[in-house]
Amino acid sequence: MKKKVHHFINNNPIFLKFIYGLIILNILAIILASYKEIRFNYSQVLENFELFSVVIFSLEYVIRLWTADVEYKKGSAFSKRIKFATSAYGIIDILAILPFYLPLFFPFDLKVLRILRLFRLLRIFKLGRLSKSMKTITNVLKETKSELSITVFVAFVLLILSSTLMYYFENEAQPEKFENIGQALWWSVATLTTVGYGDVYPVTGVGKILSAIIALIGIGFIALPTGIISSAFIDKVQTDKQKKIDNMHICECPKCGAKHEKNVI
Amino acid sequence: MKKKVHHFINNNPIFLKFIYGLIILNILAIILASYKEIRFNYSQVLENFELFSVVIFSLEYVIRLWTADVEYKKGSAFSKRIKFATSAYGIIDILAILPFYLPLFFPFDLKVLRILRLFRLLRIFKLGRLSKSMKTITNVLKETKSELSITVFVAFVLLILSSTLMYYFENEAQPEKFENIGQALWWSVATLTTVGYGDVYPVTGVGKILSAIIALIGIGFIALPTGIISSAFIDKVQTDKQKKIDNMHICECPKCGAKHEKNVI
Amino acid sequence: MKKKVHHFINNNPIFLKFIYGLIILNILAIILASYKEIRFNYSQVLENFELFSVVIFSLEYVIRLWTADVEYKKGSAFSKRIKFATSAYGIIDILAILPFYLPLFFPFDLKVLRILRLFRLLRIFKLGRLSKSMKTITNVLKETKSELSITVFVAFVLLILSSTLMYYFENEAQPEKFENIGQALWWSVATLTTVGYGDVYPVTGVGKILSAIIALIGIGFIALPTGIISSAFIDKVQTDKQKKIDNMHICECPKCGAKHEKNVI
Amino acid sequence: MKKKVHHFINNNPIFLKFIYGLIILNILAIILASYKEIRFNYSQVLENFELFSVVIFSLEYVIRLWTADVEYKKGSAFSKRIKFATSAYGIIDILAILPFYLPLFFPFDLKVLRILRLFRLLRIFKLGRLSKSMKTITNVLKETKSELSITVFVAFVLLILSSTLMYYFENEAQPEKFENIGQALWWSVATLTTVGYGDVYPVTGVGKILSAIIALIGIGFIALPTGIISSAFIDKVQTDKQKKIDNMHICECPKCGAKHEKNVI
């Protein structure tokens, strides 16, 4: 029976659609509650919906905890539960309902409560269970992790260098906009990522030249991660193809015992 | 004779150029009519041109409907017509002339008429019949549909998360610019896509840090679809090459035993 | 002797460096002449330098015309000269010196003269003769010409559609900024290319949603040409490699006469 | 014993972590010192920390100079030291501590001192020794050097052309913003790199059309280096794979005659 429940909450299309619908409605509720008129006029509706959502998500969490021994193969019944509770989705599931329960036990002041309510946003990650094709992208990103982290490091060096130089160049001309390196960093990020809000920009000649160089490097900075991710995707596509071919005509070599592609002669 | 007409409207270079010219002139007319001086001084010319265009496009539609049984192989004469009328281009063709006919039958008020006139814009899609090489791009995009839709989903999650957080961070400092999450979303899109209009940007420290992170993620967000589309294009190019090789005749060299492409002499 | 001259102007490193240096100085002169103080204080220097440059470039043009029969293999002496004069570089060479000679023969008014002087900018293209590795990029771009032109067409359709819709949405709210579709096009380009100057942006709800969609499509619009160009570059790299391999161990098959990679047995 | 010291400063994880930590703290100190309140209230702490850092970095430099004969194989003891002192990291190491020592020997005025202090920023490059995977990216960039430099040249031509034209178009309408070609260049860079600060943009019709064209070319300009870098990365991944395959032992199957990877049993 436990297996049936486990299968139901993971595969029953109607249940899944209900949960995903509920998650999307929850996010919509957070967005709508930010509108003053809605927050005041429909506060009761929003509160009731939150109560309803928490009940459902709590039930889901309890059932997932209970059926954890179907999910995981190895370990004792208790260690399986711990495994689920400390898994990425297990943590998300508990954090997403925690902001409702915590204030019942601890007397928080308003500010802490407000931050706690932000945890409700984590419900959006529950949508991640949805997609199996998301794994492709996650795998590709994982494979390129070391090269992408170098890109991040290069970006960090570029940002620090350019913002420090810009601070020295522009501090006198625009003391209120380039008051310290922290504010110059804000300009650096906006330029290197080519966002360019236009709230801060250099006005001195040297500053403009540095800005131009950083903006042009920004183009290369976009090219680098793109090239890395592209190559990983292409490698994946080709490996998948090779696997297909490898699975087609297989022959076992009696000499060395290796399985290899059959040479059709 | 029906076959000749069908061939004529689909392949006659002079007729095709005439239609494409007419479509481009129609789009030009829409653009020009938006200029007050032109709208007032040349209203008669524009109206006559619209009448002329609608007559041509209506005739084209009727002929395409009539010759639908040459276009489609299977089904009865009536079902072939329905097939054309419900095809993408069939719907575009009728919607592009509808704004002219509907007001003749139904008494619409001005607002509805104005929206109806927007349908004339659909005539631009009639240009799509033009290009056969457009299929390459459409096919590549179709193949990467599932991965690209994941990118869209990730973008959606990023937008919701960042705009909600930004609303909490900036609401107090800039209540008129970050009045609700909807307005924060506007900032999110401008930052993640690196457009950066500069009408809304964070002013608090935490807000600026979040903005910097979102802008840097925006770079990766550009890299992802680019990598996906690149890999699909490369796969296509290689598959095309492989097909060419597979279609070539293979010969075994008696000198060295290698299998190689046959040289047709 | 003509061959020696032809070889000299095309291969002598000192002469080439002199010409490239002169071109770069010419461009610098155009930039410097745009500064009021320099234009007034050094007008004589700039005029003399222009005179000197035109003499050199005219001599170069005459010599290239004279040695055209070494450059081109086929045709009569006259047709070879015409071939050079009508080649891309031949046209650039004459247009780059024309703004000096024309006013000597025709009495132009000041406005025409000013435009004529812009032709001096064409001298920058004379630098193109410089690089032999530029051919790689030009070839790759040529190979992807049909797909890239489709991208341009898609961009054109997106720009027209979004600007027309935006004109309808924003015209009432911002009549001075979205006065006609032409002005809305300016916004479209800034958004689709993610430049986002911030001088024009939507203020209505519907307008903002359309703007967000266009900005997000802009990301894909960047991805498309990148993917196309990437695939062409990769194809080139692999074709070059294959050629190297093909040239390494070659065997001629006595059966069919084809040249193929040797199978080392 | 010298070998042990050399091994210690290059491989001892605790020493390396200490140095990297110190570098990061140094960069943090530079950033913090730009904040007026911190600079005034904690000047003693910052000075002491600078003294401490310089002592450590000086010691490190001396040790590296002393152990240079372990690092380099060939040459005399003296030439090995020169080799280290003139290597990229050797120059960075000395420049990063120089701003401390120079003022002790030479009486500089304040302005020179301020610029000298900027050299402390070079300490960030000492972090580069850290990463071995950074070599992958550096190698890829080196391989594509000639093609990337062409991209830079094309960018240079585009920037000069567009800024000169824009200067002619906009000078009359906005004399203070497009006063000379230098200022127009600032607009060119912001547009071609799609940064778009929004401080300078064309207002005339022709100017806007030129700006739109440059922005659209900007998209292609992003696509070019991305394509080049992508292809280099993919080539690298495939070469690595090929090397693996080439290093594997090949066996011929007596069953079907195919050559395949030997399964080491």
Side-chain angles (χ1 to χ4, degrees), chain C residues 143-158:
Chain C
E143 258 170 51
T144 56
K145 217 173 122 184
S146 71
E147 271 126 1
L148 284 182
S149 60
I150 295 288
T151 314
V152 172
F153 170 71
V154 171
F156 166 76
V157 170
L158 279 173

Side-chain angles (χ1 to χ4, degrees), chain B residues 26 30 70 93 98 104 120 132 134 143 153 155 169 191-192 203 221 232:
Chain B
N26 262 274
I30 294 173
V70 184
D93 281 356
L98 218 63
L104 305 179
R120 289 183 304 152
K132 275 151 203 166
M134 199 166 193
E143 259 171 51
F153 170 71
F169 294 157
T191 304
L192 195 69
V203 293
F221 180 57

Side-chain angles (χ1 to χ4, degrees), chain C residues 55-111:
Chain C
V55 169
I56 299 288
F57 290 143
S58 301
L59 272 173
E60 194 206 349
Y61 184 73
V62 171
I63 293 171
R64 282 191 189 279
L65 206 60
W66 175 55
T67 62
D69 40 359
V70 185
E71 183 82 22
Y72 299 96
K73 298 281 131 72
K74 286 177 199 168
S76 67
F78 181 74
S79 78
K80 279 171 186 172
R81 257 112 219 187
I82 293 291
K83 231 177 205 167
F84 168 71
T86 55
S87 73
Y89 281 123
I91 291 167
I92 286 168
D93 281 356
I94 190 75
L95 284 179
I97 50 174
L98 219 63
F100 184 83
Y101 294 110
L102 271 188
L104 305 178
F105 303 109
F106 303 98
F108 289 124
D109 60 63
L110 265 168
K111 222 171 178 186

Side-chain angles (χ1 to χ4, degrees), chain C residues 17-253:
Chain C
K17 270 177 195 159
F18 168 70
I19 287 286
Y20 293 136
L22 194 63
I23 295 167
I24 288 163
L25 284 175
N26 262 275
I27 292 155
L28 258 175
I30 294 174
I31 293 173
L32 288 173
S34 78
Y35 286 82
K36 229 181 239 170
E37 317 83 55
I38 295 169
R39 195 164 56 234
F40 288 139
N41 296 330
Y42 300 93
S43 66
Q44 201 52 49
V45 179
L46 287 168
E47 262 174 51
N48 290 342
F49 178 66
E50 173 67 16
L51 192 68
F52 172 72
S53 305
V54 167
V55 169
I56 299 288
F57 290 143
S58 301
L59 272 173
E60 194 206 349
Y61 184 73
V62 171
I63 293 171
R64 282 191 189 279
L65 206 60
W66 175 55
T67 62
D69 40 359
V70 185
E71 183 82 22
Y72 299 96
K73 298 281 131 72
K74 286 177 199 168
S76 67
F78 181 74
S79 78
K80 279 171 186 172
R81 257 112 219 187
I82 293 291
K83 231 177 205 167
F84 168 71
T86 55
S87 73
Y89 281 123
I91 291 167
I92 286 168
D93 281 356
I94 190 75
L95 284 179
I97 50 174
L98 219 63
F100 184 83
Y101 294 110
L102 271 188
L104 305 178
F105 303 109
F106 303 98
F108 289 124
D109 60 63
L110 265 168
K111 222 171 178 186
V112 177
L113 272 179
R114 238 186 137 212
I115 292 169
L116 265 181
R117 289 179 67 82
L118 271 177
F119 278 94
R120 290 182 304 152
L121 254 185
L122 289 167
R123 287 169 197 170
I124 209 173
F125 289 114
K126 287 165 77 88
L127 283 173
R129 268 200 198 101
L130 173 74
S131 163
K132 275 152 203 166
S133 33
M134 198 166 196
K135 276 189 186 165
T136 310
I137 289 177
T138 329
N139 282 343
V140 161
L141 290 182
K142 259 185 206 159
E143 258 170 51
T144 56
K145 217 173 122 184
S146 71
E147 271 126 1
L148 284 182
S149 60
I150 295 288
T151 314
V152 172
F153 170 71
V154 171
F156 166 76
V157 170
L158 279 173
L159 289 174
I160 296 287
L161 272 183
S162 62
S163 59
T164 309
L165 287 174
M166 198 51 113
Y167 164 71
Y168 276 92
F169 293 157
E170 291 282 325
N171 184 27
E172 263 173 69
Q174 304 188 81
E176 76 295 334
K177 289 207 167 160
F178 289 91
E179 206 186 327
N180 47 56
I181 294 177
Q183 291 193 333
L185 251 173
W186 173 240
W187 160 85
S188 282
V189 172
T191 304
L192 196 68
T193 61
T194 77
V195 169
Y197 286 123
D199 55 336
V200 197
Y201 48 83
V203 293
T204 65
V206 214
K208 282 187 174 177
I209 290 168
L210 176 64
S211 189
I213 292 167
I214 287 295
L216 287 167
I217 288 174
I219 298 292
F221 180 56
I222 293 173
L224 216 50
T226 307
I228 294 168
I229 289 175
S230 286
S231 77
F233 264 109
I234 289 152
D235 192 43
K236 212 207 120 280
V237 168
Q238 286 176 346
T239 311
D240 288 0
K241 263 194 177 170
Q242 199 53 48
K243 265 186 198 157
K244 260 194 200 161
I245 291 172
D246 289 356
N247 287 333
M248 283 192 307
H249 306 280
I250 294 298
C251 176
E252 204 182 308
C253 176

Side-chain angles (χ1 to χ4, degrees), chain C residues 3-17:
Chain C
K3 272 192 182 170
K4 269 187 184 168
V5 172
H6 181 257
H7 188 82
F8 180 83
I9 61 163
N10 279 309
N11 297 300
N12 186 288
I14 295 160
F15 176 77
L16 288 179
K17 270 177 195 159

Side-chain angles (χ1 to χ4, degrees), chain A residues 6-21:
Chain A
H6 180 257
H7 187 83
F8 180 83
I9 62 163
N10 279 308
N11 298 298
N12 187 289
I14 295 160
F15 177 76
L16 288 178
K17 269 176 196 159
F18 167 69
I19 287 287
Y20 293 137

